[in-house]
C-alpha cells in the first residue's frame, strides 16, 4: 500500500514538503465491514515554528508593555507629587514658594530614579524629542538650519533605515551594519525632503532663498549627513544625535551669510 503525506505550513498556508511512504501489508483474503478500532496509524508531524512568528512579537510586545507601564507609573507619580504639595499649600501647611521649590527638587530626582525601569529602546526616541526641542528653541521658523536638520533626521535617516532593512544586502566596506541602499536613500530622500520643507517655509514668507545656490548647498549638506550616518559610531553616538548635529553645523555654515 502506498501512502502519500503532504506537509502544509499552517501560518504561510502553502505547500512545504511532500513525501510518499510505502507500507507493505499482507493482502487480506476477506473484507469485513466493522466499526473503527483503536489500532490506527497515527502520524505526528513536527515542524519548527518560524522565529518571526513567535519570538519577535513576544519580545517586542514585552518591551512595549514595560515601557508603557513605566511611562504610566512616572506620570502617575508626577501627578501625585504635584497634587500633594498643591493640597498642602491650599491648607496653608506650607508656603507656596516652598511648595514650588520642593516640587522642583523632587520631580527631577524622582524621574532620574525611574530610569532603571525603562528599556534601552526608550533612549533613541528620547534623543529624537530632544533634538526636536533644540531645533525649535534655537532656530524656529526663521532659519533654514533647523528645518534642514529635522528633515535629514526625520526623513533622510528614517527612510535610510527602512530601505536598508529591505534592500540592504550589499554592505558598506567600512561598516557592515550599514548598506549602500540605506546610504543612497539617506542622501536622496534627505535632499528632497529638505528642499520641500524649505520651499514650504519660504512660501509662507519666513525666509527668502536663492534656489540655484540653495540646491547646491543642500546637496552638500545631505552628502555630509549621509557620510556621518554611515560611520561605525552608532555604539558611541546615536544616529538621532550625530546626524542632526552634523547637519546643524553644515547648514549653519552654509546659510549664515
Amino acid at each position: 500500500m502506498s501512502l502519500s503525506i503532504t506537509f502544509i505550513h499552517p501560518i504561510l498556508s502553502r505547500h512545504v514538503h511532500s513525501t510518499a511512504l510505502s507500507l507493505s501489508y499482507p493482502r487480506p483474503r476477506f473484507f469485513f465491514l466493522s466499526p473503527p478500532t483503536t489500532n490506527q496509524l497515527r502520524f505526528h508531524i513536527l515542524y519548527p515554528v518560524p522565529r518571526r512568528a513567535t519570538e519577535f512579537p513576544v519580545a517586542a510586545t514585552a518591551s512595549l508593555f514595560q515601557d508603557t507601564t513605566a511611562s504610566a507609573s512616572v506620570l502617575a507619580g508626577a501627578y501625585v507629587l504635584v497634587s500633594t504639595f498643591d493640597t498642602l499649600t491650599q491648607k496653608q501647611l506650607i508656603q507656596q514658594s516652598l511648595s514650588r521649590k520642593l516640587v522642583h527638587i523632587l520631580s527631577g530626582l524622582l524621574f532620574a530614579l525611574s530610569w532603571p525601569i525603562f528599556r534601552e529602546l526608550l533612549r533613541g526616541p528620547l534623543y529624537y524629542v530632544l533634538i526636536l526641542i533644540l531645533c525649535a528653541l534655537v532656530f524656529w521658523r526663521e532659519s533654514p538650519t533647523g528645518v534642514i536638520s529635522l528633515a535629514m533626521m526625520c526623513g533622510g535617516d528614517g527612510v535610510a533605515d527602512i530601505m536598508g532593512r529591505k534592500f540592504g544586502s550589499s554592505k558598506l566596506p567600512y561598516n557592515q551594519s550599514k548598506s549602500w541602499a540605506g546610504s543612497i536613500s539617506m542622501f536622496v530622500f534627505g535632499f528632497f525632503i529638505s528642499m520641500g520643507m524649505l520651499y514650504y517655509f519660504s512660501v509662507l514668507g519666513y525666509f527668502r532663498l536663492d534656489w540655484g545656490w540653495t540646491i547646491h548647498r543642500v546637496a552638500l549638506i545631505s552628502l555630509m549627513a549621509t557620510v556621518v550616518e554611515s560611520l561605525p559610531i552608532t555604539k558611541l553616538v546615536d544616529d538621532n544625535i550625530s546626524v542632526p548635529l552634523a547637519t546643524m553645523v553644515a547648514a549653519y555654515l552654509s546659510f549664515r551669510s
Side-chain angles (χ1 to χ4, degrees):
M1 181 179 70
S2 179
L3 176 63
S4 178
I5 300 178
T6 300
F7 295 80
I8 302 297
H9 197 287
I11 297 179
L12 301 180
S13 298
R14 61 185 179 88
H15 180 271
V16 178
H17 179 68
S18 63
T19 185
L21 298 178
S22 297
L23 303 178
S24 299
Y25 291 97
R27 186 179 301 274
R29 296 183 178 180
F30 303 96
F31 292 92
F32 298 94
L33 295 177
S34 61
T37 63
T38 57
N39 297 325
Q40 298 176 352
L41 292 176
R42 295 184 180 182
F43 297 91
H44 298 278
I45 309 302
L46 300 179
Y47 54 88
V49 180
R51 180 184 181 89
R52 181 176 297 179
T54 56
E55 297 181 8
F56 178 75
V58 172
T61 302
S63 176
L64 179 61
F65 178 77
Q66 179 171 344
D67 285 337
T68 303
T69 304
S71 300
S73 301
V74 171
L75 290 176
Y79 177 79
V80 171
L81 178 67
V82 174
S83 299
T84 300
F85 282 99
D86 185 54
T87 302
L88 294 176
T89 302
Q90 291 179 358
K91 293 183 177 181
Q92 297 183 351
L93 297 177
I94 59 175
Q95 297 179 353
Q96 184 176 4
S97 59
L98 178 60
S99 174
R100 185 173 63 251
K101 287 300 180 182
L102 290 176
V103 172
H104 176 83
I105 294 171
L106 295 176
S107 59
L109 295 177
L110 292 177
F111 176 66
L113 292 175
S114 70
W115 288 355
I117 66 177
F118 290 97
R119 288 178 178 261
E120 286 295 313
L121 182 64
L122 191 65
R123 179 176 294 181
L126 176 62
Y127 294 155
Y128 184 90
V129 173
L130 291 178
I131 292 297
L132 293 178
I133 296 174
L134 177 63
C135 289
L137 293 176
V138 177
F139 302 107
W140 196 223
R141 300 172 298 195
E142 288 75 18
S143 173
T145 301
V147 175
I148 298 175
S149 300
L150 293 185
M152 290 302 303
M153 179 184 71
C154 303
D157 188 35
V159 176
D161 183 69
I162 296 174
M163 301 300 288
R165 291 177 185 274
K166 189 171 183 62
F167 305 105
S169 57
S170 180
K171 304 297 182 180
L172 298 177
Y174 55 90
N175 188 356
Q176 291 300 305
S177 63
K178 303 290 184 178
S179 65
W180 285 106
S183 295
I184 294 173
S185 300
M186 170 84 177
F187 174 79
V188 173
F189 283 90
F191 171 78
F192 282 106
I193 293 175
S194 297
M195 292 299 300
M197 294 291 290
L198 290 176
Y199 180 77
Y200 169 76
F201 279 94
S202 65
V203 168
L204 296 178
Y206 290 107
F207 42 72
R208 295 181 179 179
L209 298 172
D210 180 351
W211 291 106
W213 179 86
T214 300
I215 290 175
H216 291 88
R217 290 295 183 271
V218 174
L220 182 61
I221 295 169
S222 300
L223 178 61
M224 180 176 295
T226 300
V227 172
V228 171
E229 193 271 343
S230 69
L231 296 176
I233 58 174
T234 306
K235 293 183 179 180
L236 299 177
V237 184
D238 192 273
D239 287 346
N240 289 327
I241 295 180
S242 61
V243 171
L245 289 183
T247 306
M248 285 181 195
V249 174
Y252 177 78
L253 295 176
S254 300
F255 288 92
R256 64 178 179 176
S257 55

